[in-house]
Amino acid sequence: MKRSKIIMGMLLLAMLVGMALIPSAMASAEEQQPNLTKDAAQLKIEALEAELGEEGMKEVADYLELQASLPDIVKVMPYRALAFAGTQEESRSVTFKYIDGFNVSEKEKDRYKAGIKDIWDRYPDKITKDDYEFMSEIGPMLVNESLKSYEPVSVKWLSTPHQDYADYACDGSSYRNYAKNAADDPDNGVMDPEPFYRYYNHYEDGLLHIGGAPGRCDEFANSAISAANSGNWATAHQRFGYSSHYLTDPGIPFHSAGVIRQGGQYVWNSYETTYHSIYENYVNNQWTSGYKFKDYVQYNTQSITVTDPEEAVEDNAEHSRQYFDYIWTEMYNDPQNFGSDIYVAYYTAQCVQQCARYAHGLYDYIM
């Protein structure tokens, strides 16, 4: 009898201990669960965040908070990033050095220095439309000065990124090469003729919502759906490749912000073309080496649901444009070596990952 009581007591104790451990085990499982749903692309983003550290991520948060709070009058100001540049002491010094290189009188140099300092002192809450004329005047001069020792490169997002976005979005489909091979065709100068449509159709301003990319994305998405409904899978994937190009182009800041407005008109064939080229060359050079931006495409398994291709392009543009001011400023400070800046890499990785997720969503929408 005593032995039975002892056994029963031991069983009861074991049950109580087990019940006590269940919440802990459940909590542990819940803590680990998010890691089970993170793909390698997201883990790589988090590795960059760890490298930035707590202080670095606070700088990121502060920058994005500033971008979200900017008045519209600042967001549409010509050479708006030049005003943001004044928040960095390095950029102020660089700007005065550039002005010293202007081929103008000393009196004019003093006027330019006083004018830009006044802009910086009033940024961001006291900027007015009256400042636009001065920014339109000094902006091109400063950009030209910054690029005196830099050799320009061709203007396009080089083919490998576009092809990879389309290829990996197809989830291993046997028709994926049709999408991959078509994805860079919109840059051939034939589908979108020079000079106007070559730029307009590949742009979507994330604030003003001007640009032809949403319409082109929707046009080819509808064409792909029609082909898929007819069982013509090769054509469907080809048209998806075209459509994905117009979705992912505005996913980088130089396709979603920075278009130059002159005389009430938007000048599409000159919107920051040189900085635009330098940045896309940076992305291409770091696609499979260095920061390996391709990893955010190849190892992405997540998608952003697309129910309206035009709206998806607009949303992607809104996401990327918030990084424009910082990337532009780093290029302005040092066009040759800006690529060593980890914040540029982090913001670029965010854009590439977002594009990959949208491309997956577009494929699911069509197929």
Side-chain angles (χ1 to χ4, degrees):
M1 186 71 174
K2 285 184 178 180
R3 184 178 178 185
S4 297
K5 287 183 178 180
I6 291 172
I7 292 173
M8 289 293 292
M10 291 176 66
L11 288 172
L12 180 60
L13 178 61
M15 290 174 63
L16 290 171
V17 170
M19 290 174 67
L21 290 175
I22 286 174
S24 175
M26 289 177 64
S28 177
E30 288 172 359
E31 289 171 2
Q32 294 175 10
Q33 187 63 30
N35 290 328
L36 297 177
T37 62
K38 292 176 183 176
D39 56 30
Q42 180 59 31
L43 292 175
K44 187 171 180 178
I45 287 279
E46 293 180 7
L48 263 182
E49 292 174 347
E51 189 174 347
L52 283 166
E54 185 176 348
E55 184 176 339
M57 290 308 296
K58 184 180 184 306
E59 287 189 30
V60 170
D62 290 345
Y63 168 74
L64 294 178
E65 183 179 355
L66 170 65
Q67 290 297 306
S69 67
L70 288 177
D72 285 352
I73 201 165
V74 173
K75 291 179 179 179
V76 299
M77 179 170 63
Y79 293 91
R80 48 170 278 190
L82 182 57
F84 165 78
T87 64
Q88 301 180 7
E89 190 58 41
E90 177 189 0
S91 300
R92 289 184 174 231
S93 298
V94 166
T95 298
F96 289 145
K97 182 188 75 173
Y98 289 159
I99 292 174
D100 285 335
F102 287 179
N103 186 25
V104 298
S105 68
E106 291 301 316
K107 182 178 180 180
E108 277 293 276
K109 291 177 183 179
D110 289 341
R111 180 178 74 85
Y112 284 126
K113 288 179 180 179
I116 195 62
K117 184 179 183 303
D118 176 54
I119 294 288
W120 291 337
D121 289 345
R122 291 185 287 110
Y123 178 86
D125 297 325
K126 296 181 180 179
I127 299 296
T128 72
K129 288 185 177 180
D130 292 338
D131 297 314
Y132 288 10
E133 182 178 355
F134 175 76
M135 293 297 282
S136 295
E137 178 186 356
I138 195 173
M141 298 173 70
L142 287 169
V143 169
N144 290 338
E145 195 68 29
S146 75
L147 295 170
K148 276 187 173 178
S149 62
Y150 190 91
E151 183 177 348
V153 293
S154 61
V155 182
K156 66 176 181 177
W157 186 312
L158 298 171
S159 60
T160 299
H162 277 305
Q163 290 184 338
D164 285 339
Y165 284 131
D167 184 13
Y168 290 106
C170 292
D171 294 324
S173 167
S174 59
Y175 293 94
R176 66 185 181 277
N177 280 338
Y178 289 96
K180 177 180 179 179
N181 293 335
D184 57 357
D185 286 355
D187 277 337
N188 61 17
V190 177
M191 291 181 65
D192 297 305
E194 302 273 4
F196 180 80
Y197 290 107
R198 173 65 184 84
Y199 298 93
Y200 178 80
N201 283 348
H202 296 250
Y203 186 87
E204 167 64 10
D205 192 284
L207 174 69
L208 301 173
H209 297 300
I210 54 173
R216 291 292 269 172
C217 178
D218 188 59
E219 174 188 348
F220 287 112
N222 288 334
S223 178
I225 290 171
S226 295
N229 289 341
S230 300
N232 192 341
W233 298 109
T235 299
H237 281 76
Q238 178 200 54
R239 301 301 163 78
F240 161 71
Y242 295 156
S243 184
S244 71
H245 185 110
Y246 297 101
L247 172 60
T248 56
D249 250 354
I252 66 164
F254 289 88
H255 282 263
S256 61
V259 67
I260 299 171
R261 190 172 187 177
Q262 295 178 349
Q265 300 294 320
Y266 293 96
V267 185
W268 300 102
N269 62 348
S270 64
Y271 69 94
E272 301 296 354
T273 51
T274 308
Y275 280 7
H276 175 192
S277 303
I278 295 171
Y279 178 68
E280 293 189 356
N281 196 48
Y282 156 77
V283 174
N284 186 69
N285 289 338
Q286 300 276 334
W287 196 247
T288 56
S289 61
Y291 284 110
K292 297 184 178 180
F293 293 124
K294 179 179 177 177
D295 289 353
Y296 300 104
V297 182
Q298 182 175 357
Y299 301 119
N300 171 67
T301 62
Q302 308 298 313
S303 66
I304 296 175
T305 300
V306 172
T307 58
D308 180 338
E310 291 194 42
E311 185 177 306
V313 176
E314 292 169 358
D315 290 345
N316 200 19
E318 287 178 9
H319 173 262
S320 68
R321 83 180 314 274
Q322 64 188 325
Y323 303 117
F324 177 82
D325 285 353
Y326 185 89
I327 294 173
W328 188 99
T329 299
E330 290 303 307
M331 297 174 69
Y332 169 77
N333 289 343
D334 188 354
Q336 297 291 346
N337 302 302
F338 79 96
S340 62
D341 184 270
I342 190 173
Y343 294 95
V344 171
Y346 179 67
Y347 295 150
T348 300
Q350 292 282 355
C351 292
V352 172
Q353 182 189 47
Q354 192 83 342
C355 284
R357 290 176 171 180
Y358 268 116
H360 271 272
L362 180 65
Y363 184 79
D364 293 341
Y365 169 79
I366 291 171
M367 303 299 173

